[in-house]
Amino acid sequence: MLEVIQNNGEKHGEFVALFDGKQAGLMTYTWAGPDKFIIDHTEVEPAYNGKGVGKEMVYQAVEFARENNLKIIPLCPFAKATFQKNEDIRDVL
């Protein structure tokens, strides 16, 4: 089962994906002012490639942005591609 946990700091944060309790992926972000954050890196452990781990972390970031009236700047190539492929999440750009 996939679970995504968010760790939010004053300047940086991360979304950690756990698959059956083991770390499957990590997506980091940096705050760019009080109302937006930059997704700067996404990585998925090779054993979990193709299982939707990266996409789930991006979607968790979108939920966080929506709940807190924030905008996302996707600098990470994976996150940028995910936004390009999924029109339903572009409201937070």
Side-chain angles (χ1 to χ4, degrees):
M1 169 124 187
L2 182 64
E3 175 187 14
V4 178
I5 298 169
Q6 181 183 13
N7 299 309
N8 188 28
E10 192 174 316
K11 295 186 184 214
H12 303 280
E14 65 186 10
F15 289 88
V16 180
L18 302 172
F19 202 91
D20 291 334
K22 295 181 182 150
Q23 185 166 325
L26 174 70
M27 185 175 73
T28 60
Y29 61 90
T30 302
W31 286 101
D35 60 352
K36 65 182 108 167
F37 60 94
I38 300 164
I39 297 176
D40 45 32
H41 181 72
T42 305
E43 65 184 63
V44 174
E45 295 297 324
Y48 300 98
N49 284 344
K51 298 187 186 307
V53 173
K55 184 177 179 181
E56 185 59 32
M57 290 187 293
V58 171
Y59 272 69
Q60 288 291 325
V62 169
E63 282 304 308
F64 173 66
R66 286 176 177 159
E67 289 170 5
N68 294 282
N69 201 27
L70 303 169
K71 295 294 182 185
I72 296 175
I73 302 167
L75 290 186
C76 159
F78 177 83
K80 189 173 190 174
T82 302
F83 277 99
Q84 289 173 344
K85 291 177 191 168
N86 299 280
E87 195 174 325
D88 61 316
I89 60 173
R90 292 186 200 151
D91 59 294
V92 297
L93 293 178

